[in-house]
Amino acid sequence: MLILFTVTTLAAGAPAVDSLLQHLDEQYKQTTDVRANVTLTQEKPQQGAKKTDMLYYRRDSDKSFLIVMTGPESEKGNGYLRVGDNFWMYRKNTRTFQHINRDESIGGSDAHGDDFEDRQLSDMYQAVKDSAGNDIITEEMLGKVPVWRFDVVAKVNDVDYPKKTYWVQVRKDQNSKEETIMLKEASYSKSGTLMQTTYYLAFTRLLGKIVPVKQLYIDNFEVGNKTIVEISGISTDKLDDNIFTKAYLENLSK
Amino acid sequence: MNFLFTISLRNLLRQRRRSVLLGSAIAFGTAILVIANAFAHGISEVLFNDVVAYVAGHVSLSFTKGANLNNQVFPDGDRMIKIIRDQLGSGPRINEAIGVFARAIGNGKSDNVIMVGMDPNGDASEKEKKQYQKNFRVLEGSFDALTDSTIENPVGLAEDKAKSLNVKLNDIIRVRFSDIHGQTQAARLTVSVIFKPSNAFMSAPIFLHTKALKKLLGYGPHDIAQLYLRIDNPKKNAIAFANKLHAALTPPLAVIDGNLTCKGTSFTTTLLALRTDSASLALLRSNTSIVKRCGDDTALFNRKSVIISRAFSEKNGIGCGDTCRVTFDGKFDSLKGSIKFIINTVIENGAGIDGNTVLVDEKEFYNAYYDVLPISVVTDKGAFRPDTTIAIYPSLGGEWLLLKRSKTTKEVMKTYRDVAHKGWKAIVVDVGSMYETASMVLNLEIALNMITFICVMLLFFIILIGVINTLRMTIRERTREIGTVRAIGMQRGDVRNSFLIETGLLALISACIGTIAAFLAMFGISRITINLEDNPLSMLLVDKHLFFAPTPSATVAFILLIVFIALITAFFPARRAAKLSAAEALRHFE
């Protein structure tokens, strides 16, 4: 179910960036199992659109997820399985599992393994501060929506983008509970070049939390490339433990 | 024997037409065999000398961090180079090998590229420099521009790559790639040299100066990437040199000597890496006993164990649940490193680590260790080194992890899969010779040789049917002659041998003629220019020409083989001829 933006009030005064990051982590944290259908649509100039459908299972409690491709025909049956620190890619044609890195591309798209992880933003990034040690955060309008804009830099080495800019909305829901929602994200290379802009276009509510169900990734480096990620059929029913096993992925691929 | 030789030669010349026809067939088969073998050998020479030597080196030293083959880095390059020089002397030319996949945007066109580091003025013999110039024929610009600091990231690329990116000299190419930390990086490169490569393999990469590329990829000033050694007589020396280097690279124990601060007190401490694969944890479990453990699992060691002995705990008043920080001096540039951990396990004394020693799980340990490489010092102020004979010593991590020598590329890949599977956190060091790293090239040569050999042997089989048939006809025609010579005293053995010598002479002369014809044909064919742009087969060409590499040993072996096969083929009919009785032979009429 899509949620329309009904802003009631914004937080008075600029919030601390670290607390915003923590609130975002809280929003994205899933305490239950999750199952969803995901569609990745990649558009490249002169190549048209390529659509990839997949099933996505996730269990944050033991850092597990399973992705299996259901379309197109050339990718059907291929999959990815992560359990703890182990990450495998499964190829249906050869019926083999290959141990891979978290920055491996998923289905040849711009999504990578670490995009499906549950890593905390607050563990990976910290606020950019001014010379006085204060967070650099400004209030802006994103279309008609008031947002907080701030920059962060990586605290650890193993992130894709060492610098990011976030546009975050802080609002109150129907129960007057404060919610922090990311609406836009700009990702920069180490040299400061804008590489990617992400728009979070649509959301749904899942067990009291806001979950983005439509994201647009625009490639700012190779202009014209973009990827749309759409999530549907979300279920939070408990998943069978067998799902996060190689045997299950192999069977599913058949 | 002389008279037999004379008789055989006379018989050959007597039936000229038959001898010429049969000899031509044998010569043709020989020529095909020599050409095919020379071509197969030529392909592997191209791959070995022009590709493998640059792509993999005659001997290679690779340093893989985090089980990620794309992350090749070792934090103390000078040390590794010193080890190489100590073991192998000043002979080998050492080059750093860096390559990274990138997405390049030119003028309205984009393409995938491999950014490769090169050092045009680096370690190379005169012969290799000439080979360089042959492999990279400059069309515009100069390779010297790669070291020009006034140009923004100068880059050299092949003519075809420049076309695919629609760039010319001095144009800008933007590239996107991941650095050694996996972080996305973008850079602008200036086209400074356009060259024509001698084979298609060299069209794909774009070349930056090694130092410039290392900087873009985030290498520190003392870091090195993979090392390729080029040596003299590689086919003879590569494996021996690799073995020698391997023996010298047994890693010492990884230690961090530093100052531990915990609960307001401070004292010198030694940190050791605890390997957390299942075998190491099992070794620990069977040789120690836990006094106290915090956290969920009170019974077992796990991958997040931070362990001290009871003696250490009681002496310093620290224990389970205490957060401690160790600061230490770095080896380079007066840097300081630090590592923070929470002690979660106290073990009974007697395991061999009772001094001021903390066993830290390898993930945390190596993060700090490789971040700021510590000075390895042994002092008498609390620094402690465990005895190598203690039971748990194998579960302590070394400065790096040295892989066993592999025999083939397949074994190398299996080893790396095991490394990824076991999740070792130390930098994995692998010593390889071109035979392992390029065993597929060797297998290709063997396969090509086998295929050509089988095909030519089939051809010879057909030819030899003709030989047998011709010999049978000859014997039939000469039956009365055989009877005559037998009647005047020639022995059976001599009759047989005369036919064998006749066939042998024919085969030898034909094989030699065929070999000469093969060399002439190879000379002619290799002069033909073949334009195979955008065709994968162009990788088999050297400068648009087919390349043949005949070897004397193979050529002589083929001639001897052909003569041998001809003799075997002739033996049975010749023996049958020898068994004819003189009286019966004399009575024979055609």
Side-chain angles (χ1 to χ4, degrees), chain B residues 374-387:
Chain B
I375 284 179
S376 292
V377 293
V378 178
T379 71
D380 56 2
K381 292 181 186 174
F384 175 77
R385 300 288 182 270
D387 197 302

Side-chain angles (χ1 to χ4, degrees), chain B residues 181-461:
Chain B
H181 304 296
Q183 294 183 4
T184 301
Q185 175 63 300
R188 287 160 48 98
L189 312 178
T190 309
V191 178
S192 301
V193 56
I194 296 177
F195 60 86
K196 195 173 189 61
S198 61
N199 65 64
F201 286 110
M202 298 302 182
S203 285
I206 63 175
F207 296 92
L208 287 83
H209 196 278
T210 303
K211 277 196 182 129
L213 184 56
K214 282 177 79 174
K215 198 170 167 193
L216 286 177
L217 290 174
Y219 281 88
H222 304 279
D223 293 343
I224 47 162
Q226 209 171 358
L227 293 177
Y228 287 164
L229 279 60
R230 289 200 305 286
I231 60 179
D232 297 325
N233 294 318
K235 285 191 177 176
K236 182 183 156 208
N237 292 326
I239 290 179
F241 278 26
N243 288 342
K244 199 170 176 189
L245 200 53
H246 185 266
L249 280 170
T250 305
L253 200 65
V255 291
I256 297 178
D257 294 317
N259 211 49
L260 183 141
T261 306
C262 206
K263 288 166 85 171
T265 56
S266 190
F267 41 87
T268 51
T269 298
T270 296
L271 303 183
L272 302 172
L274 172 65
R275 290 174 64 166
T276 54
D277 54 283
S278 44
S280 298
L281 291 179
L283 186 67
L284 199 67
R285 212 172 290 136
S286 57
N287 288 285
T288 60
S289 58
I290 295 176
V291 171
K292 189 169 182 188
R293 181 162 171 79
C294 324
D296 300 325
D297 195 326
T298 55
L300 299 171
F301 296 106
N302 64 19
R303 298 178 83 177
K304 292 188 178 158
S305 296
V306 177
I307 303 168
I308 58 173
S309 67
R310 186 152 66 90
F312 183 25
S313 174
E314 286 168 358
K315 179 184 165 192
N316 298 300
I318 59 175
C320 222
D322 288 334
T323 303
C324 305
R325 180 180 284 279
V326 169
T327 53
F328 56 93
D329 293 330
K331 186 175 179 183
F332 301 117
D333 310 320
S334 307
L335 289 173
K336 299 266 184 214
S338 80
I339 173 173
K340 186 174 157 188
F341 46 80
I342 299 172
I343 293 171
N344 58 28
T345 312
V346 179
I347 59 171
E348 192 53 82
N349 300 334
I353 54 153
D354 294 346
N356 277 7
T357 307
V358 184
L359 297 192
V360 180
D361 71 274
E362 58 178 335
K363 188 175 176 185
E364 294 304 321
F365 180 93
Y366 286 118
N367 274 347
Y369 188 84
Y370 294 131
D371 192 34
V372 174
L373 200 66
I375 284 179
S376 292
V377 293
V378 178
T379 71
D380 56 2
K381 292 181 186 174
F384 175 77
R385 300 288 182 270
D387 197 302
T388 55
T389 59
I390 60 170
I392 63 167
Y393 196 87
S395 59
L396 304 177
E399 289 189 34
W400 58 81
L401 183 77
L402 180 66
L403 295 182
K404 286 191 189 139
R405 292 272 292 117
S406 304
K407 291 198 177 63
T408 62
T409 308
K410 210 172 166 181
E411 262 186 50
V412 170
M413 299 318 296
K414 184 181 177 301
T415 304
Y416 275 103
R417 275 199 299 275
D418 283 344
V419 167
H421 182 69
K422 287 185 172 125
W424 287 322
K425 301 293 182 275
I427 288 178
V428 172
V429 176
D430 186 31
V431 181
S433 74
M434 60 187 191
Y435 290 101
E436 299 101 59
T437 44
S439 66
M440 283 188 249
V441 173
L442 272 176
N443 291 343
L444 176 68
E445 186 187 8
I446 293 168
L448 278 172
N449 277 338
M450 257 176 54
I451 290 167
T452 52
F453 189 75
I454 289 169
C455 290
V456 176
M457 282 300 112
L458 281 172
L459 179 67
F460 260 108
F461 179 70

Side-chain angles (χ1 to χ4, degrees), chain B residues 504-581:
Chain B
L505 272 176
L506 179 65
L508 180 64
I509 294 167
S510 306
C512 291
I513 292 171
T515 302
I516 294 168
F519 275 85
L520 289 171
M522 284 190 285
F523 180 77
I525 294 169
S526 62
R527 288 237 155 343
I528 301 169
T529 304
I530 302 170
N531 277 313
L532 278 179
E533 285 173 9
D534 296 332
N535 191 315
L537 290 175
S538 62
M539 76 172 93
L540 303 176
L541 304 176
V542 174
D543 220 1
K544 293 188 179 177
H545 296 93
L546 285 170
F547 178 68
F548 297 94
T551 54
S553 54
T555 307
V556 168
F558 288 142
I559 292 172
L560 291 175
L561 178 68
I562 286 158
V563 170
F564 177 73
I565 292 173
L567 287 174
I568 295 290
T569 314
F571 179 79
F572 296 100
R575 193 174 66 165
R576 207 177 310 119
K579 280 182 180 170
L580 287 171
S581 79

Side-chain angles (χ1 to χ4, degrees), chain A:
Chain A
M1 189 170 75
L2 295 178
I3 304 282
L4 297 175
F5 293 119
T6 52
V7 176
T8 53
T9 59
L10 276 173
V17 167
D18 287 343
S19 75
L20 285 175
L21 293 178
Q22 280 164 9
H23 288 146
L24 286 167
D25 287 336
E26 273 304 311
Q27 280 288 359
Y28 295 138
K29 197 171 170 180
Q30 292 298 327
T31 50
T32 64
D33 295 345
V34 174
R35 181 211 174 281
N37 299 322
V38 179
T39 301
L40 276 175
T41 308
Q42 254 195 315
E43 290 177 23
K44 292 187 176 178
Q46 291 152 7
Q47 286 184 37
K50 179 189 166 188
K51 200 168 158 192
T52 309
D53 296 307
M54 55 189 90
L55 283 174
Y56 176 51
Y57 300 90
R58 175 172 153 180
R59 175 178 286 171
D60 286 358
S61 56
D62 56 5
K63 292 190 187 178
S64 302
F65 69 75
L66 173 76
I67 299 170
V68 62
M69 310 297 187
T70 54
E73 208 54 44
S74 57
E75 288 285 339
K76 201 170 175 181
N78 294 335
Y80 300 84
L81 170 66
R82 183 192 161 179
V83 178
D85 291 336
N86 292 305
F87 192 16
W88 294 278
M89 175 174 71
Y90 175 71
R91 280 288 164 265
K92 187 187 172 186
N93 288 345
T94 54
R95 295 183 67 185
T96 53
F97 284 90
Q98 186 185 333
H99 209 273
I100 59 172
N101 295 300
R102 39 191 292 282
D103 52 4
E104 189 92 11
S105 150
I106 300 289
S109 71
D110 292 330
H112 299 96
D114 50 13
D115 293 329
F116 293 85
E117 287 179 354
D118 66 331
R119 294 180 82 199
Q120 311 268 56
L121 287 174
S122 52
D123 289 339
M124 296 190 289
Y125 292 98
Q126 62 191 0
V128 170
K129 293 186 191 292
D130 61 20
S131 52
N134 300 317
D135 293 348
I136 300 175
I137 178 167
T138 55
E139 203 170 355
E140 283 188 9
M141 295 299 286
L142 194 65
K144 291 181 184 172
V145 179
V147 293
W148 294 106
R149 173 198 163 142
F150 54 92
D151 296 337
V152 294
V153 289
K155 280 201 282 196
V156 292
N157 279 334
D158 56 338
V159 292
D160 269 355
Y161 297 103
K163 296 174 196 166
K164 289 196 175 196
T165 301
Y166 291 137
W167 287 258
V168 161
Q169 182 193 22
V170 178
R171 66 188 187 116
K172 287 200 165 74
D173 65 8
Q174 297 100 316
N175 301 322
S176 297
K177 190 182 160 204
E178 204 167 80
E179 293 180 319
T180 308
I181 307 163
M182 178 121 57
L183 297 184
K184 182 181 167 186
E185 177 184 333
S187 305
Y188 298 85
S189 73
K190 212 163 173 179
S191 56
T193 307
L194 177 61
M195 304 301 290
Q196 179 175 275
T197 305
T198 310
Y199 293 91
Y200 298 85
L201 300 174
F203 299 83
T204 191
R205 197 171 285 283
L206 196 68
L207 297 176
K209 294 187 182 176
I210 297 282
V211 172
V213 293
K214 187 171 182 181
Q215 297 143 57
L216 169 64
Y217 294 85
I218 292 178
D219 188 340
N220 295 102
F221 183 78
E222 202 166 345
V223 176
N225 289 355
K226 59 183 177 189
T227 304
I228 301 167
V229 176
E230 291 165 292
I231 303 170
S232 60
I234 302 177
S235 160
T236 54
D237 293 340
K238 185 161 181 358
L239 296 170
D240 199 319
D241 293 341
N242 285 337
I243 285 175
F244 302 104
T245 60
K246 287 181 182 178
Y248 185 84
L249 176 53
E250 220 175 340
N251 270 333
L252 208 60
S253 297
K254 289 174 191 169

